Amino acid sequence: MGCCCKVTTLFLLIVAGFSLYQFYPCLFKCHDKPNFDTFKVDDWFGRVMLKANQKIPKDPVDIKSFRLNVSDADLNDLHDRLKRSRFIDHLQDTHFQYGFNSDYLRVVQQYWQNSYQWRKHEQQINSYPQFTTQIEGLNIHFFHVKPKTTAKVKTIFPILLVHGWPGSFYEYLKSIPMLTEPDSNGYAYEIILPSIPGYGYSEQPHKPGFNIPAAARIFVKLMKRLGHEKFITHGGDWGSAISLAISTIYPENVRGLHLVGNFFQPSTFGDFRRMLMAYLMPKYYFGTDDWQRQWEKTFPFCQKFKSMLLETGYMHIQATKPDTVAAGLADSPIGMAAYLLEKFSAWTHANYMELSDGGLVDKFTMDELLTNVMIYWTSGNIAASQRFYLENMQNFKFMQTLTQAQVKVPSAIIEPTHDLMRAPRKFIEHLHENLLQFTDSNVGGHFLAFEEPNIVVKDIRQFSKKLLEFEQQKRKEEEQEQQQKKHDEV
Ligand SMILES: *[C@@H]1O[C@H](CO)[C@@H](O)[C@H](O)[C@H]1NC(C)=O
């Protein structure tokens, strides 16, 4: 028995124990609907604290146009700090295995200091219309881009695009012109691309408790304020979790759900029975030609578990004491670049750890990477972005409620081949009642839309086609039902 086999067995036993403990009550009332009503209650995260028993104020509903314009003083301060950067010595014969390689960090600093031009990127960001509006006391920043022309457009889909950490709205900038342009089917998209509160240029929440359901609620309010009662919601990373939450808490507002990776991995601590069957009888359980491919997403367990541990240290810090590390990051641009950009190396491809430049510029340009860092630096939102982990991870009750919820709206998932955690299609199917599309992308990592916008846009378009067919089918069934009813009455 190899070490891996023992570890796997041990792990499965732990999972079994955990599942029994966790889901024992569920054996008797598993089909209860999760209670979402508490998530729908309005809250207030504004700077001015509410007094005890004070009624939640009404937000002004006006929408202001927004232009990014970082002050010269801030840019000078940044350059000053960059010039005075202090570096660590890095270990011989290592690359990114110990974290960000400091030799390469010097290269990043040189480029940032001497070649990188923020104003150019600021201008590019400002080439798309942006707005702010107040929701639950917070100033929410968002892009709102409509198709330029209505010629050749048959169907316009309103779509909400939600980013994650350590990304930002910037991950989706390349997708904007692709999505607003009509394709051969005549589909085009009206894009609403917000910054999560506490990320990018959305105001940070000023009191504890801002979590996934709060973000979901705020974004649904935003969409309604813009006149969209029903829309497609898309996301990756936290954006995937928020989009899932929108789809389960507010299904009446969702036309379709499109995800880069299913954030709540049903494989990790999911149903033990399913895990055991998949492990012991993969051919029988998966029952498809690609059973091996599906199996490899979860097993061998020890290997998967090890890489998960290796890549999630940051998460534990941010889910417990986010402000401590944020104090350092907010003070040092080079520290912030190392902390954020390391993720763009390891999460794009695990093997990039073996490269002296972390493979960073294989898939992204240094300009793109630094612009994302600049959004964190200039907004001053680093701490708030990290606190989102604490607010979510320390609230198991709602995490459990969300993970047990069935997705009933039509959905689609594209899974990057080099993403950290992946789930077999079969596991996903248990959670999504109307999974219209599942794409195993053969390229790309965690930041798929940033890395391969073409692939994500193509997947969204394919999903939209299936969505229209699904809606048509539904209408037909309803009509038939009504006719049957009339017939029965006669
Ligand atoms: C940015 O702000 C400065 C001063 O506050 C102003 O002079 C400049 O015109 C602004 N630029 C843009 C592009 O809005």
Side-chain angles (χ1 to χ4, degrees):
M1 201 186 232
C3 147
C4 192
C5 196
K6 275 184 210 155
V7 175
T8 306
T9 311
L10 180 69
F11 190 79
L12 286 174
L13 282 173
I14 295 171
V15 173
F18 183 76
S19 308
L20 271 181
Y21 168 73
Q22 198 76 351
F23 298 113
Y24 184 73
C26 176
L27 289 176
F28 304 100
K29 48 178 191 108
C30 227
H31 301 294
D32 270 9
K33 265 199 183 147
N35 182 7
F36 288 139
D37 289 347
T38 52
F39 301 152
K40 293 184 179 170
V41 177
D42 289 346
D43 208 333
W44 181 264
F45 298 96
R47 184 174 286 279
V48 179
M49 263 175 74
L50 300 189
K51 296 188 193 80
N53 298 327
Q54 186 183 342
K55 238 182 93 189
I56 291 175
K58 270 209 155 58
D59 290 301
V61 296
D62 57 321
I63 291 163
K64 297 189 183 106
S65 110
F66 174 93
R67 255 187 98 79
L68 186 53
N69 188 1
V70 173
S71 73
D72 283 338
D74 280 356
L75 292 180
N76 291 340
D77 173 76
L78 169 70
H79 279 275
D80 220 38
R81 287 169 194 264
L82 280 174
K83 206 161 62 197
R84 291 185 294 109
S85 300
R86 292 208 308 172
F87 291 93
I88 53 172
D89 271 345
H90 110 153
L91 290 175
Q92 290 169 359
D93 291 332
T94 65
H95 300 297
F96 267 61
Q97 295 94 333
Y98 282 73
F100 207 103
N101 179 325
S102 72
D103 283 353
Y104 191 63
L105 196 54
R106 286 170 199 266
V107 176
V108 173
Q109 183 242 14
Q110 283 299 308
Y111 186 85
W112 201 352
Q113 178 87 327
N114 302 322
S115 308
Y116 178 80
Q117 290 174 359
W118 165 251
R119 291 291 180 213
K120 195 175 93 188
H121 297 288
E122 192 178 63
Q123 208 174 7
Q124 190 219 355
I125 291 168
N126 282 335
S127 70
Y128 298 108
Q130 297 159 80
F131 306 88
T132 61
T133 191
Q134 186 186 309
I135 304 176
E136 301 202 354
L138 297 174
N139 207 28
I140 309 295
H141 162 251
F142 62 98
F143 289 77
H144 189 184
V145 194
K146 296 177 184 171
K148 272 207 193 86
T149 139
T150 48
K152 287 194 279 177
V153 177
K154 272 201 224 123
T155 315
I156 295 179
F157 295 91
I159 189 168
L160 174 72
L161 304 176
V162 192
H163 67 85
W165 190 94
S168 61
F169 64 79
Y170 190 64
E171 289 174 79
Y172 286 97
L173 224 59
K174 284 184 278 189
S175 305
I176 293 179
M178 296 182 192
L179 284 169
T180 49
E181 196 62 29
D183 63 1
S184 57
N185 288 318
Y187 303 163
Y189 298 81
E190 176 176 337
I191 295 165
I192 293 91
L193 166 58
S195 299
I196 300 172
Y199 286 70
Y201 301 105
S202 279
E203 187 177 355
Q204 66 158 350
H206 296 281
K207 69 158 196 182
F210 180 81
N211 53 21
I212 294 170
R217 192 174 60 240
I218 285 177
F219 286 165
V220 169
K221 286 181 184 176
L222 172 66
M223 292 304 280
K224 285 184 177 174
R225 194 171 290 179
L226 297 174
H228 299 300
E229 284 290 326
K230 238 174 153 157
F231 50 90
I232 296 177
T233 180
H234 160 96
D237 195 87
W238 280 135
S240 165
I242 294 168
S243 286
L244 260 174
I246 292 175
S247 303
T248 46
I249 305 173
Y250 307 93
E252 66 278 12
N253 297 114
V254 177
R255 198 165 166 190
L257 167 69
H258 186 273
L259 303 176
V260 173
N262 195 80
F263 182 84
F264 295 119
Q265 291 295 340
S267 63
T268 324
F269 290 106
D271 188 328
F272 172 65
R273 210 170 18 127
R274 224 178 291 150
M275 288 286 301
L276 199 65
M277 272 176 37
Y279 180 61
L280 297 175
M281 316 180 261
K283 257 193 215 175
Y284 168 77
Y285 177 74
F286 294 120
T288 54
D289 295 340
D290 69 343
W291 67 270
Q292 210 153 357
R293 206 181 151 129
Q294 294 204 51
W295 195 82
E296 281 163 7
K297 289 182 180 181
T298 316
F299 307 105
F301 225 115
C302 72
Q303 195 189 319
K304 297 280 182 269
F305 196 62
K306 190 181 151 197
S307 60
M308 197 187 81
L309 279 184
L310 203 63
E311 289 303 329
T312 48
Y314 83 101
M315 190 185 285
H316 195 69
I317 291 178
Q318 298 183 174
T320 50
K321 305 286 178 78
D323 285 18
T324 308
V325 66
L329 303 183
D331 193 51
S332 160
I334 212 68
M336 184 186 274
Y339 192 78
L340 298 184
L341 294 187
E342 182 226 286
K343 304 295 174 232
F344 287 85
S345 163
W347 296 359
T348 300
H349 200 302
N351 294 350
Y352 282 178
M353 222 184 288
E354 320 286 337
L355 305 174
S356 57
D357 64 357
L360 276 172
V361 287
D362 270 19
K363 296 299 183 72
F364 309 107
T365 65
M366 188 53 75
D367 274 73
E368 285 171 347
L369 294 168
L370 285 176
T371 300
N372 186 58
V373 175
M374 282 295 284
I375 290 164
Y376 278 86
W377 180 262
T378 57
S379 65
N381 261 341
I382 184 68
S385 77
Q386 293 176 293
R387 286 178 198 141
F388 199 51
Y389 287 79
L390 188 155
E391 304 293 4
N392 289 322
M393 306 292 192
Q394 293 200 20
N395 195 339
F396 270 121
K397 194 170 147 37
F398 93 78
M399 276 290 204
Q400 216 180 10
T401 314
L402 281 185
T403 46
Q404 285 171 5
Q406 282 281 320
V407 178
K408 293 202 165 65
V409 303
S411 58
I413 290 169
I414 178 164
E415 226 183 30
T417 195
H418 300 299
D419 206 353
L420 197 56
M421 288 200 286
R422 301 191 302 148
R425 175 198 185 117
K426 188 90 181 183
F427 286 4
I428 300 273
E429 281 169 355
H430 284 283
L431 283 181
H432 293 254
E433 222 161 86
N434 292 301
L435 188 66
L436 302 188
Q437 181 169 294
F438 184 94
T439 316
D440 245 320
S441 89
N442 287 315
V443 291
H446 187 73
F447 306 98
L448 193 65
F450 195 27
E451 183 186 339
E452 302 280 357
N454 281 307
I455 289 178
V456 173
V457 166
K458 191 173 146 214
D459 208 69
I460 291 175
R461 288 190 179 284
Q462 274 170 354
F463 172 55
S464 308
K465 185 157 187 278
K466 289 177 190 160
L467 190 58
L468 286 182
E469 286 162 6
F470 178 87
E471 288 170 347
Q472 210 170 15
Q473 183 64 29
K474 266 266 139 81
R475 268 198 302 273
K476 228 194 219 150
E477 281 168 18
E478 275 168 20
E479 271 167 31
Q480 274 168 356
E481 223 168 83
Q482 267 178 0
Q483 269 174 358
Q484 190 66 38
K485 238 190 222 160
K486 259 191 213 152
H487 184 85
D488 288 351
E489 275 166 19
V490 174

